[in-house]
Amino acid sequence: MVKSSQEWVSAAVDGEVNEQELAQLCADADSHEQWQRYHMIGDTMRGELPESIDLDITANIAAALELEPTIIAPQAIAPQENDEQKQSNLDSKPSNVVSLFKQVGQYAIAASVALVAIVGVQSYNQEPDVESPLPVFNTRPLVGSVSPVSLQTGPVVKQQHDFTEEQVLEQRRRINAYIQDHMLQQRLNSGVQTEHTYTEDVNR
Amino acid sequence: MRLFLLALILLSPFSFAQEMSANDWLKNMSQSLTDKQFKASVVQIQADHIRPLVFLQGKVDGKSVSYLEYLNGPPKNAVKVDNKVTFLELDQQPYSIKANRIQGVWPASLSGNIAKLEQGYQFVLGGRSRIAGRAGQMIRFIAKDEFRYDSQVWLDMETFLPLRYDTLNRDKQLLEQTMVVELLELNEPPKILIEASKHDWPAVINPTDRKEAQNWQFTWLPQGFDMVVADNHRLIGIHEPVEYIALTDGLANISIYVARASDNPMPEELVTRNGISMVVEKVGNAEIVALGKVPTETLERIVRSLTLK
């Protein structure tokens, strides 16, 4: 029975019913919600949703908040007051309390949305970090920053122990000396290398 | 339809035969790098910096002359006339060495003997793309083992000059890139090369502090790596005496140093941002340091295989 009624509403949404049936639907308040939902689904599928959808949550939240016991506000305002005064206080400003809660609730929702947005952005940013294009950097922590030598190398050092600053400097000096010498040797050996390949050619 | 397919099958080997092999491309490149007159504006890209340079090459009175200038920072130039390369740098006296090319733009073997590279690399013809406004043909140097890095070169389809050269690490990530941004083929040698050929450059330095090294030997080396130099010199900067051995497979250069161990502990291994790996091993009171653009595992294995004859 439920299913057949759903089908009927669905047909009405699609405009496949006559005027009489439509009038019947208008009279049937229970089907209105379903009618709205079907239209929403149809709009979503066609991509015709407006910028913001008024799902009428506010009414629900307000209703829920009204059901909440109002304890905090009276205590905060007058913790020393006696029961009578408290009663009168509640009578005089009930709307105030509710509206305060409403505001707090709205802020909380807004704040939680912002938090989700930030967390979302962060995790999105972290993703590419995981597969960083330079794994070397992740696995080998940098010992300070290296002053560029003339050949512009910046060694990344794997730190094994806690070195003193002096030791780190000395270590860096030695590493730089080796790297510079390595690069200088390639310059000096460039002649030798070509000679070498040449003699190899001759030998062949 | 069947006839058409048959024709296609019959024709395809012929169309392939017209295509040059990767080896042919590389031989043409080597030839062009030696013979052609050209001007190339180049950028060299390493992890966190870009170095622009200009390179000119030409023939003046039968002499091969080339000129390299780094465009950013303190002036740094190199001039080659015949087999003498002179380095002109701001902070030191100009000095000349004997070499038939200026080191620093393309790997030596690109202008040398391509066959040497075949021991360690497989040449594979890649796709075509546009670089510096020119059509480029890519050729991959695929390492035959895991002891070295892959690289790839793009050649200008007109002149066969290299347009781009990439070095990739084992994870296929770019370590270093040399890319031409403008290439001009010249009919006449440019003025600066004519001037350079007339200039009186300092005589080739005689490396007096280079002494004969010990009789070092390797029980294991990756296929294609040869010892090119072995000597005894002092380290630049800190003037410590070291035993030095240079190895190369044509694209990757490895330096091995044997020195007295320092009081300071050295890191066991590190990788610089421009892809140079360094491995330090302490043997008794000596330390063996190996450097090169190869995986650290390769250096570790080479260091362990070092022995005295």
Side-chain angles (χ1 to χ4, degrees):
Chain A
M1 180 62 208
V2 175
K3 206 192 167 202
S4 73
S5 112
Q6 278 175 346
E7 274 171 14
W8 177 74
V9 176
S10 175
V13 171
D14 294 339
E16 287 165 3
V17 289
N18 56 34
E19 273 186 40
Q20 202 187 341
E21 277 175 305
L22 210 58
Q24 213 177 328
L25 177 71
C26 290
D28 182 8
D30 289 346
S31 300
H32 285 176
E33 208 181 318
Q34 234 163 22
W35 162 273
Q36 190 192 4
R37 210 176 305 139
Y38 282 139
H39 265 293
M40 183 74 80
I41 292 165
D43 284 349
T44 314
M45 288 198 293
R46 286 190 294 274
E48 288 170 359
L49 281 181
E51 293 256 311
S52 61
I53 310 159
D54 182 18
L55 286 173
D56 212 20
I57 304 171
T58 47
N60 294 342
I61 292 170
L65 285 171
E66 218 130 5
L67 288 173
E68 294 251 332
T70 52
I71 311 157
I72 300 163
Q75 273 181 348
I77 291 163
Q80 305 295 321
E81 279 174 331
N82 60 35
D83 277 1
E84 272 172 59
Q85 277 171 320
K86 203 184 266 176
Q87 196 58 47
S88 69
N89 216 10
L90 271 178
D91 286 342
S92 64
K93 304 178 185 174
S95 61
N96 249 356
V97 171
V98 170
S99 80
L100 180 70
F101 260 90
K102 225 176 179 176
Q103 269 179 0
V104 169
Q106 276 169 350
Y107 281 129
I109 290 164
S112 69
V113 167
L115 195 70
V116 167
I118 290 162
V119 168
V121 167
Q122 277 177 342
S123 65
Y124 182 74
N125 276 347
Q126 275 161 3
E127 260 170 40
D129 268 1
V130 175
E131 325 162 46
S132 165
L134 296 158
V136 166
F137 286 45
N138 297 339
T139 53
R140 299 188 175 87
L142 186 74
V143 177
S145 65
V146 178
S147 56
V149 294
S150 66
L151 293 151
Q152 296 171 311
T153 47
V156 181
V157 183
K158 183 180 172 185
Q159 198 167 9
Q160 299 148 326
H161 314 285
D162 287 326
F163 296 124
T164 64
E165 201 178 324
E166 235 171 86
Q167 279 178 314
V168 170
L169 277 174
E170 169 62 19
Q171 195 186 72
R172 209 180 292 163
R173 213 164 61 91
R174 278 181 74 87
I175 291 167
N176 272 349
Y178 276 119
I179 291 171
Q180 270 189 291
D181 199 82
H182 165 69
M183 291 170 99
L184 181 73
Q185 291 308 320
Q186 270 159 62
R187 180 181 275 188
L188 297 178
N189 298 342
S190 58
V192 185
Q193 276 173 28
T194 43
E195 266 173 34
H196 178 80
T197 49
Y198 175 72
T199 51
E200 234 183 24
D201 275 359
V202 172
N203 291 342
R204 261 176 209 174
Chain B
M1 186 61 192
R2 198 173 290 172
L3 205 70
F4 172 73
L5 281 176
L6 198 70
L8 205 70
I9 289 163
L10 281 174
L11 279 173
S12 52
F14 293 105
S15 58
F16 274 119
Q18 284 174 348
E19 293 261 317
M20 284 194 293
S21 72
N23 216 315
D24 294 336
W25 277 96
L26 295 176
K27 277 184 186 142
N28 284 333
M29 170 190 67
S30 174
Q31 200 64 41
S32 288
L33 274 173
T34 320
D35 297 343
K36 289 241 194 276
Q37 305 196 90
F38 64 95
K39 177 189 175 182
S41 303
V42 180
V43 285
Q44 279 186 333
I45 301 152
Q46 289 173 339
D48 54 355
H49 71 266
I50 296 174
R51 193 163 40 183
L53 56 97
V54 66
F55 181 78
L56 291 112
Q57 177 174 303
K59 284 228 156 41
V60 184
D61 306 329
K63 284 186 281 190
S64 145
V65 184
S66 49
Y67 174 76
L68 169 70
E69 180 175 2
Y70 290 98
L71 300 173
N72 283 7
K76 250 172 93 177
N77 310 324
V79 179
K80 185 195 82 104
V81 181
D82 263 350
N83 282 327
K84 183 156 97 177
V85 177
T86 308
F87 293 96
L88 304 145
E89 283 166 28
L90 187 69
D91 49 354
Q92 59 191 33
Q93 286 285 314
Y95 63 96
S96 303
I97 62 160
K98 193 170 162 251
N100 67 353
R101 50 177 283 285
I102 301 175
Q103 186 265 341
V105 192
W106 310 108
S109 3
L110 295 195
S111 52
N113 180 14
I114 295 297
K116 163 90 172 108
L117 297 176
E118 271 178 309
Q119 291 174 39
Y121 303 88
Q122 199 186 341
F123 312 145
V124 176
L125 212 57
R128 288 174 182 177
S129 58
R130 194 162 158 271
I131 298 160
R134 287 161 168 268
Q137 167 70 51
M138 191 236 263
I139 289 130
R140 289 178 210 276
F141 297 98
I142 297 174
K144 284 184 175 171
D145 48 42
E146 71 275 19
F147 302 119
R148 64 202 100 206
Y149 294 143
D150 291 340
S151 47
Q152 46 204 32
V153 68
W154 278 259
L155 304 182
D156 180 27
M157 292 180 68
E158 207 179 298
T159 61
F160 299 109
L161 290 167
L163 292 176
R164 178 176 152 186
Y165 179 81
D166 293 358
T167 309
L168 310 168
N169 70 7
R170 297 302 304 166
D171 301 324
K172 306 282 173 226
Q173 285 157 349
L174 189 68
L175 286 179
E176 197 178 15
Q177 183 175 80
T178 302
M179 186 162 61
V180 171
V181 289
E182 192 188 23
L183 180 66
L184 294 171
E185 202 185 345
L186 308 168
N187 296 320
E188 292 294 315
K191 225 169 161 186
I192 188 163
L193 293 188
I194 299 172
E195 270 173 46
S197 73
K198 287 175 187 154
H199 196 278
D200 200 13
W201 299 109
V204 171
I205 48 160
N206 212 355
T208 45
D209 63 333
R210 295 191 159 234
K211 296 175 204 106
E212 283 286 304
Q214 303 274 343
N215 226 339
W216 295 107
Q217 220 183 7
F218 294 94
T219 54
W220 176 86
L221 278 181
Q223 178 72 34
F225 273 96
D226 292 317
M227 212 192 278
V228 278
V229 175
D231 68 19
N232 183 315
H233 67 262
R234 279 173 189 276
L235 271 189
I236 185 171
I238 56 174
H239 303 293
E240 267 180 46
V242 287
E243 287 279 315
Y244 173 76
I245 303 154
L247 305 167
T248 186
D249 70 343
L251 291 181
N253 296 301
I254 297 176
S255 295
I256 315 277
Y257 298 88
V258 184
R260 184 188 290 183
S262 64
D263 305 331
N264 259 319
M266 287 279 277
E268 273 169 29
E269 60 175 72
L270 64 90
V271 177
T272 67
R273 271 170 238 200
N274 53 5
I276 296 180
S277 305
M278 180 171 174
V279 164
V280 181
E281 187 154 305
K282 235 175 149 178
V283 181
N285 59 353
E287 73 182 11
I288 308 173
V289 180
L291 296 116
K293 273 183 194 160
V294 290
T296 48
E297 294 76 24
T298 310
L299 295 179
E300 272 167 29
R301 236 180 118 171
I302 291 176
V303 162
R304 270 187 234 125
S305 78
L306 181 71
T307 53
L308 269 173
K309 214 180 251 176

